[in-house]
Each structure stands twice: as structure tokens, then as C-alpha cells.
């Protein structure tokens, strides 16, 4: 089976096809170059990840320090509350001893005076 001579492309058609392929290849290479501009090397990526890890560890250590300070301030507040409660109880005892005791002694003296015993 032979191919008729008109079935083969002419030189001009070949030239046009090669030119079209060249233009397509240029466009594809330009797109590839644009995508490669957004790509970083593994070394740069690893360095960036190390920097991120360092920042995260610094933030975590700062957060742990803040938690410690917060716990200490809560403990101080609880201690102050207990001290205030103890002071309030002491004040109540003082009030009772300062006012109730003399009234009780006065009542005993009045009772004794009413019985006829001399003070």
C-alpha cells in the first residue's frame, strides 16, 4: 500500500506545525517559570520551619511562665482571703470581749447588789 504524494505534508505545513509547537512550548515554559517563582528550596523551607518551631517554643515557654505567675497570684489572693477571715474572726472576738464582758460583769454586780452583798 502506497501513500499518494498529496497525503504527505508539505514543507510549509511542517514549518507551520513546528512554529506552532515552538509557540506552545514557549507558553508552557513561561507558565512553568511563573510557577517556579513561587517554589522555594528545601533548605529555605526547613529554615523557615525551624524559625516557626522556635517561635512556637518561645510562646509556649512564655505561656508557661504566665501560667505560673497566674497560679501564684491566685494562691496569694487565697492567702490574703484566709488572713482577712482570720482578722475578721479576731475582731469579732475583740468586740465580744470589749462589750459583752463588761455588760456581763455589770449584770453580775447588779445581781449581787440586789441580793444585798456588798461589792
Amino acid at each position: 500500500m502506497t501513500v499518494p504524494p498529496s497525503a504527505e505534508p508539505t514543507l510549509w505545513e511542517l514549518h507551520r506545525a513546528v512554529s506552532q509547537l515552538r509557540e506552545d512550548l514557549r507558553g508552557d515554559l513561561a507558565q512553568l517559570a511563573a510557577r517556579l517563582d513561587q517554589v522555594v528550596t528545601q533548605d529555605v523551607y526547613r529554615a523557615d520551619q525551624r524559625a516557626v518551631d522556635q517561635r512556637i517554643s518561645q510562646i509556649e515557654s512564655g505561656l508557661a511562665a504566665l501560667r505560673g505567675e497566674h497560679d501564684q497570684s491566685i494562691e496569694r489572693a487565697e492567702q490574703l482571703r484566709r488572713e482577712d477571715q482570720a482578722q475578721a474572726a479576731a475582731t469579732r472576738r475583740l468586740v465580744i470581749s470589749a462589750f459583752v464582758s463588761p455588760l456581763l460583769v455589770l449584770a453580775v454586780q447588779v445581781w449581787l447588789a440586789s441580793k444585798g452583798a456588798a461589792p
Side-chain angles (χ1 to χ4, degrees), residues 70-114:
H70 181 260
D71 292 343
Q72 288 176 356
S73 66
I74 287 175
E75 183 60 35
R76 281 194 304 266
E78 286 294 319
Q79 181 65 29
L80 287 174
R81 186 185 59 78
R82 286 190 295 269
E83 290 173 1
D84 287 345
Q85 287 176 344
Q87 182 67 31
T91 303
R92 281 192 299 273
R93 284 191 300 270
L94 179 65
V95 166
I96 289 171
S97 64
F99 293 113
V100 173
S101 297
L103 289 176
L104 186 60
V105 170
L106 180 65
V108 169
Q109 285 180 352
V110 168
W111 181 69
L112 288 175
S114 69

Side-chain angles (χ1 to χ4, degrees), residues 17-107:
V18 168
S19 295
Q20 182 63 39
L21 284 174
R22 180 181 281 169
E23 290 300 319
D24 291 344
L25 185 60
R26 280 185 186 153
D28 292 342
L29 287 176
Q31 288 177 354
L32 183 61
R35 288 180 57 197
L36 286 176
D37 287 342
Q38 298 172 358
V39 176
V40 296
T41 63
Q42 286 184 351
D43 295 336
V44 172
Y45 178 76
R46 286 184 189 136
D48 185 55
Q49 287 302 313
R50 281 193 301 270
V52 168
D53 290 341
Q54 287 174 351
R55 284 193 305 243
I56 288 173
S57 64
Q58 288 173 352
I59 290 171
E60 285 174 345
S61 64
L63 183 60
L66 286 175
R67 255 190 221 126
E69 290 175 10
H70 181 260
D71 292 343
Q72 288 176 356
S73 66
I74 287 175
E75 183 60 35
R76 281 194 304 266
E78 286 294 319
Q79 181 65 29
L80 287 174
R81 186 185 59 78
R82 286 190 295 269
E83 290 173 1
D84 287 345
Q85 287 176 344
Q87 182 67 31
T91 303
R92 281 192 299 273
R93 284 191 300 270
L94 179 65
V95 166
I96 289 171
S97 64
F99 293 113
V100 173
S101 297
L103 289 176
L104 186 60
V105 170
L106 180 65

